PDB file of all heavy atoms in Angstrom:
ATOM      1  N   PRO A 448      -6.911  22.375 -28.107  1.00  0.00           N
ATOM      2  CA  PRO A 448      -5.947  23.169 -27.357  1.00  0.00           C
ATOM      3  C   PRO A 448      -6.670  23.959 -26.257  1.00  0.00           C
ATOM      4  O   PRO A 448      -7.844  24.309 -26.426  1.00  0.00           O
ATOM      5  CB  PRO A 448      -5.340  24.114 -28.405  1.00  0.00           C
ATOM      6  CG  PRO A 448      -5.682  23.493 -29.735  1.00  0.00           C
ATOM      7  CD  PRO A 448      -6.987  22.794 -29.523  1.00  0.00           C
ATOM      8  N   PRO A 449      -6.006  24.234 -25.145  1.00  0.00           N
ATOM      9  CA  PRO A 449      -6.696  24.798 -23.985  1.00  0.00           C
ATOM     10  C   PRO A 449      -7.213  26.225 -24.198  1.00  0.00           C
ATOM     11  O   PRO A 449      -6.489  27.096 -24.675  1.00  0.00           O
ATOM     12  CB  PRO A 449      -5.633  24.759 -22.883  1.00  0.00           C
ATOM     13  CG  PRO A 449      -4.328  24.707 -23.613  1.00  0.00           C
ATOM     14  CD  PRO A 449      -4.580  23.978 -24.876  1.00  0.00           C
ATOM     15  N   VAL A 450      -8.475  26.413 -23.866  1.00  0.00           N
ATOM     16  CA  VAL A 450      -9.101  27.737 -23.883  1.00  0.00           C
ATOM     17  C   VAL A 450      -9.807  27.933 -22.550  1.00  0.00           C
ATOM     18  O   VAL A 450     -10.639  27.099 -22.165  1.00  0.00           O
ATOM     19  CB  VAL A 450     -10.125  27.887 -25.027  1.00  0.00           C
ATOM     20  CG1 VAL A 450     -10.799  29.256 -24.960  1.00  0.00           C
ATOM     21  CG2 VAL A 450      -9.459  27.704 -26.381  1.00  0.00           C
ATOM     22  N   ARG A 451      -9.484  29.011 -21.874  1.00  0.00           N
ATOM     23  CA  ARG A 451     -10.118  29.322 -20.599  1.00  0.00           C
ATOM     24  C   ARG A 451     -10.699  30.732 -20.677  1.00  0.00           C
ATOM     25  O   ARG A 451     -10.303  31.543 -21.527  1.00  0.00           O
ATOM     26  CB  ARG A 451      -9.124  29.227 -19.435  1.00  0.00           C
ATOM     27  CG  ARG A 451      -8.554  27.826 -19.250  1.00  0.00           C
ATOM     28  CD  ARG A 451      -7.637  27.729 -18.052  1.00  0.00           C
ATOM     29  NE  ARG A 451      -8.357  27.828 -16.787  1.00  0.00           N
ATOM     30  CZ  ARG A 451      -8.872  26.797 -16.136  1.00  0.00           C
ATOM     31  NH1 ARG A 451      -8.777  25.568 -16.651  1.00  0.00           N
ATOM     32  NH2 ARG A 451      -9.487  26.960 -14.982  1.00  0.00           N
ATOM     33  N   LEU A 452     -11.635  31.001 -19.784  1.00  0.00           N
ATOM     34  CA  LEU A 452     -12.244  32.324 -19.702  1.00  0.00           C
ATOM     35  C   LEU A 452     -11.956  32.916 -18.340  1.00  0.00           C
ATOM     36  O   LEU A 452     -12.271  32.315 -17.306  1.00  0.00           O
ATOM     37  CB  LEU A 452     -13.757  32.249 -19.900  1.00  0.00           C
ATOM     38  CG  LEU A 452     -14.505  33.583 -19.705  1.00  0.00           C
ATOM     39  CD1 LEU A 452     -14.161  34.562 -20.836  1.00  0.00           C
ATOM     40  CD2 LEU A 452     -16.007  33.372 -19.616  1.00  0.00           C
ATOM     41  N   LEU A 453     -11.356  34.107 -18.317  1.00  0.00           N
ATOM     42  CA  LEU A 453     -11.218  34.862 -17.086  1.00  0.00           C
ATOM     43  C   LEU A 453     -12.481  35.715 -16.976  1.00  0.00           C
ATOM     44  O   LEU A 453     -12.606  36.748 -17.637  1.00  0.00           O
ATOM     45  CB  LEU A 453      -9.960  35.741 -17.116  1.00  0.00           C
ATOM     46  CG  LEU A 453      -9.592  36.396 -15.782  1.00  0.00           C
ATOM     47  CD1 LEU A 453      -9.143  35.343 -14.770  1.00  0.00           C
ATOM     48  CD2 LEU A 453      -8.493  37.441 -15.970  1.00  0.00           C
ATOM     49  N   TYR A 454     -13.404  35.257 -16.160  1.00  0.00           N
ATOM     50  CA  TYR A 454     -14.712  35.904 -16.058  1.00  0.00           C
ATOM     51  C   TYR A 454     -14.647  37.020 -15.021  1.00  0.00           C
ATOM     52  O   TYR A 454     -14.362  36.785 -13.848  1.00  0.00           O
ATOM     53  CB  TYR A 454     -15.772  34.881 -15.675  1.00  0.00           C
ATOM     54  CG  TYR A 454     -17.153  35.475 -15.501  1.00  0.00           C
ATOM     55  CD1 TYR A 454     -17.824  36.038 -16.582  1.00  0.00           C
ATOM     56  CD2 TYR A 454     -17.776  35.484 -14.255  1.00  0.00           C
ATOM     57  CE1 TYR A 454     -19.080  36.595 -16.431  1.00  0.00           C
ATOM     58  CE2 TYR A 454     -19.041  36.037 -14.101  1.00  0.00           C
ATOM     59  CZ  TYR A 454     -19.686  36.588 -15.181  1.00  0.00           C
ATOM     60  OH  TYR A 454     -20.931  37.152 -15.031  1.00  0.00           O
ATOM     61  N   ILE A 455     -14.910  38.259 -15.458  1.00  0.00           N
ATOM     62  CA  ILE A 455     -14.763  39.429 -14.579  1.00  0.00           C
ATOM     63  C   ILE A 455     -16.116  40.078 -14.295  1.00  0.00           C
ATOM     64  O   ILE A 455     -16.189  41.285 -14.059  1.00  0.00           O
ATOM     65  CB  ILE A 455     -13.781  40.454 -15.194  1.00  0.00           C
ATOM     66  CG1 ILE A 455     -14.256  40.908 -16.592  1.00  0.00           C
ATOM     67  CG2 ILE A 455     -12.378  39.866 -15.282  1.00  0.00           C
ATOM     68  CD1 ILE A 455     -13.484  42.089 -17.147  1.00  0.00           C
ATOM     69  N   GLY A 456     -17.159  39.262 -14.287  1.00  0.00           N
ATOM     70  CA  GLY A 456     -18.495  39.799 -14.046  1.00  0.00           C
ATOM     71  C   GLY A 456     -18.629  40.491 -12.704  1.00  0.00           C
ATOM     72  O   GLY A 456     -19.443  41.403 -12.544  1.00  0.00           O
ATOM     73  N   ARG A 457     -17.835  40.077 -11.719  1.00  0.00           N
ATOM     74  CA  ARG A 457     -17.857  40.722 -10.404  1.00  0.00           C
ATOM     75  C   ARG A 457     -16.623  41.587 -10.176  1.00  0.00           C
ATOM     76  O   ARG A 457     -16.307  41.947  -9.036  1.00  0.00           O
ATOM     77  CB  ARG A 457     -17.952  39.661  -9.302  1.00  0.00           C
ATOM     78  CG  ARG A 457     -19.249  38.841  -9.370  1.00  0.00           C
ATOM     79  CD  ARG A 457     -19.391  37.953  -8.154  1.00  0.00           C
ATOM     80  NE  ARG A 457     -18.291  37.000  -8.064  1.00  0.00           N
ATOM     81  CZ  ARG A 457     -17.887  36.414  -6.930  1.00  0.00           C
ATOM     82  NH1 ARG A 457     -18.482  36.717  -5.789  1.00  0.00           N
ATOM     83  NH2 ARG A 457     -16.905  35.537  -6.943  1.00  0.00           N
ATOM     84  N   GLY A 458     -15.945  41.926 -11.263  1.00  0.00           N
ATOM     85  CA  GLY A 458     -14.766  42.776 -11.166  1.00  0.00           C
ATOM     86  C   GLY A 458     -13.486  41.972 -11.245  1.00  0.00           C
ATOM     87  O   GLY A 458     -13.470  40.756 -11.026  1.00  0.00           O
ATOM     88  N   LEU A 459     -12.399  42.662 -11.558  1.00  0.00           N
ATOM     89  CA  LEU A 459     -11.108  41.998 -11.741  1.00  0.00           C
ATOM     90  C   LEU A 459     -10.597  41.386 -10.442  1.00  0.00           C
ATOM     91  O   LEU A 459      -9.922  40.352 -10.451  1.00  0.00           O
ATOM     92  CB  LEU A 459     -10.094  42.998 -12.308  1.00  0.00           C
ATOM     93  CG  LEU A 459      -8.854  42.441 -13.009  1.00  0.00           C
ATOM     94  CD1 LEU A 459      -9.223  41.398 -14.052  1.00  0.00           C
ATOM     95  CD2 LEU A 459      -8.061  43.566 -13.652  1.00  0.00           C
ATOM     96  N   ASN A 460     -10.904  42.017  -9.313  1.00  0.00           N
ATOM     97  CA  ASN A 460     -10.448  41.483  -8.026  1.00  0.00           C
ATOM     98  C   ASN A 460     -11.103  40.150  -7.691  1.00  0.00           C
ATOM     99  O   ASN A 460     -10.560  39.369  -6.902  1.00  0.00           O
ATOM    100  CB  ASN A 460     -10.724  42.473  -6.900  1.00  0.00           C
ATOM    101  CG  ASN A 460      -9.800  43.669  -6.943  1.00  0.00           C
ATOM    102  OD1 ASN A 460      -8.688  43.589  -7.462  1.00  0.00           O
ATOM    103  ND2 ASN A 460     -10.245  44.796  -6.405  1.00  0.00           N
ATOM    104  N   LYS A 461     -12.277  39.892  -8.268  1.00  0.00           N
ATOM    105  CA  LYS A 461     -12.992  38.643  -8.005  1.00  0.00           C
ATOM    106  C   LYS A 461     -13.098  37.804  -9.277  1.00  0.00           C
ATOM    107  O   LYS A 461     -14.039  37.026  -9.437  1.00  0.00           O
ATOM    108  CB  LYS A 461     -14.377  38.931  -7.446  1.00  0.00           C
ATOM    109  CG  LYS A 461     -14.357  39.647  -6.098  1.00  0.00           C
ATOM    110  CD  LYS A 461     -15.770  39.901  -5.568  1.00  0.00           C
ATOM    111  CE  LYS A 461     -15.732  40.594  -4.214  1.00  0.00           C
ATOM    112  NZ  LYS A 461     -17.110  40.855  -3.705  1.00  0.00           N
ATOM    113  N   ALA A 462     -12.129  37.946 -10.157  1.00  0.00           N
ATOM    114  CA  ALA A 462     -12.150  37.230 -11.429  1.00  0.00           C
ATOM    115  C   ALA A 462     -12.103  35.722 -11.199  1.00  0.00           C
ATOM    116  O   ALA A 462     -11.446  35.232 -10.276  1.00  0.00           O
ATOM    117  CB  ALA A 462     -10.977  37.663 -12.301  1.00  0.00           C
ATOM    118  N   GLU A 463     -12.807  34.985 -12.060  1.00  0.00           N
ATOM    119  CA  GLU A 463     -12.834  33.524 -12.012  1.00  0.00           C
ATOM    120  C   GLU A 463     -12.184  32.985 -13.282  1.00  0.00           C
ATOM    121  O   GLU A 463     -12.605  33.327 -14.384  1.00  0.00           O
ATOM    122  CB  GLU A 463     -14.267  33.011 -11.919  1.00  0.00           C
ATOM    123  CG  GLU A 463     -15.049  33.492 -10.711  1.00  0.00           C
ATOM    124  CD  GLU A 463     -16.508  33.079 -10.797  1.00  0.00           C
ATOM    125  OE1 GLU A 463     -16.817  31.902 -10.513  1.00  0.00           O
ATOM    126  OE2 GLU A 463     -17.338  33.935 -11.187  1.00  0.00           O
ATOM    127  N   ASN A 464     -11.170  32.145 -13.099  1.00  0.00           N
ATOM    128  CA  ASN A 464     -10.484  31.534 -14.240  1.00  0.00           C
ATOM    129  C   ASN A 464     -11.158  30.194 -14.524  1.00  0.00           C
ATOM    130  O   ASN A 464     -10.990  29.227 -13.782  1.00  0.00           O
ATOM    131  CB  ASN A 464      -9.005  31.344 -13.911  1.00  0.00           C
ATOM    132  CG  ASN A 464      -8.165  31.108 -15.144  1.00  0.00           C
ATOM    133  OD1 ASN A 464      -8.601  30.436 -16.075  1.00  0.00           O
ATOM    134  ND2 ASN A 464      -6.957  31.647 -15.161  1.00  0.00           N
ATOM    135  N   LEU A 465     -11.946  30.144 -15.589  1.00  0.00           N
ATOM    136  CA  LEU A 465     -12.837  29.020 -15.832  1.00  0.00           C
ATOM    137  C   LEU A 465     -12.409  28.171 -17.015  1.00  0.00           C
ATOM    138  O   LEU A 465     -12.109  28.680 -18.094  1.00  0.00           O
ATOM    139  CB  LEU A 465     -14.260  29.523 -16.087  1.00  0.00           C
ATOM    140  CG  LEU A 465     -14.879  30.423 -15.013  1.00  0.00           C
ATOM    141  CD1 LEU A 465     -16.237  30.937 -15.489  1.00  0.00           C
ATOM    142  CD2 LEU A 465     -15.015  29.679 -13.692  1.00  0.00           C
ATOM    143  N   GLY A 466     -12.407  26.866 -16.797  1.00  0.00           N
ATOM    144  CA  GLY A 466     -12.222  25.893 -17.855  1.00  0.00           C
ATOM    145  C   GLY A 466     -13.427  24.969 -17.895  1.00  0.00           C
ATOM    146  O   GLY A 466     -14.424  25.190 -17.193  1.00  0.00           O
ATOM    147  N   PRO A 467     -13.369  23.892 -18.688  1.00  0.00           N
ATOM    148  CA  PRO A 467     -14.512  22.988 -18.790  1.00  0.00           C
ATOM    149  C   PRO A 467     -14.978  22.416 -17.456  1.00  0.00           C
ATOM    150  O   PRO A 467     -16.186  22.335 -17.196  1.00  0.00           O
ATOM    151  CB  PRO A 467     -14.004  21.885 -19.727  1.00  0.00           C
ATOM    152  CG  PRO A 467     -12.978  22.571 -20.564  1.00  0.00           C
ATOM    153  CD  PRO A 467     -12.303  23.542 -19.644  1.00  0.00           C
ATOM    154  N   ASP A 468     -14.053  22.005 -16.593  1.00  0.00           N
ATOM    155  CA  ASP A 468     -14.437  21.457 -15.288  1.00  0.00           C
ATOM    156  C   ASP A 468     -15.215  22.486 -14.477  1.00  0.00           C
ATOM    157  O   ASP A 468     -16.205  22.156 -13.820  1.00  0.00           O
ATOM    158  CB  ASP A 468     -13.209  21.014 -14.502  1.00  0.00           C
ATOM    159  CG  ASP A 468     -12.609  19.723 -15.027  1.00  0.00           C
ATOM    160  OD1 ASP A 468     -13.318  18.988 -15.749  1.00  0.00           O
ATOM    161  OD2 ASP A 468     -11.441  19.442 -14.714  1.00  0.00           O
ATOM    162  N   ASP A 469     -14.739  23.734 -14.505  1.00  0.00           N
ATOM    163  CA  ASP A 469     -15.365  24.789 -13.711  1.00  0.00           C
ATOM    164  C   ASP A 469     -16.769  25.107 -14.214  1.00  0.00           C
ATOM    165  O   ASP A 469     -17.702  25.288 -13.421  1.00  0.00           O
ATOM    166  CB  ASP A 469     -14.491  26.048 -13.751  1.00  0.00           C
ATOM    167  CG  ASP A 469     -13.053  25.759 -13.380  1.00  0.00           C
ATOM    168  OD1 ASP A 469     -12.792  25.455 -12.206  1.00  0.00           O
ATOM    169  OD2 ASP A 469     -12.198  25.820 -14.277  1.00  0.00           O
TER     170      ASP A 469
END
Side-chain angles (χ1 to χ4, degrees):
V450 177
R451 298 183 70 89
L452 175 69
L453 190 68
Y454 178 65
I455 58 170
R457 297 188 299 156
L459 200 50
N460 287 334
K461 297 181 179 179
E463 301 173 78
N464 197 323
L465 305 175
D468 286 341
D469 308 291

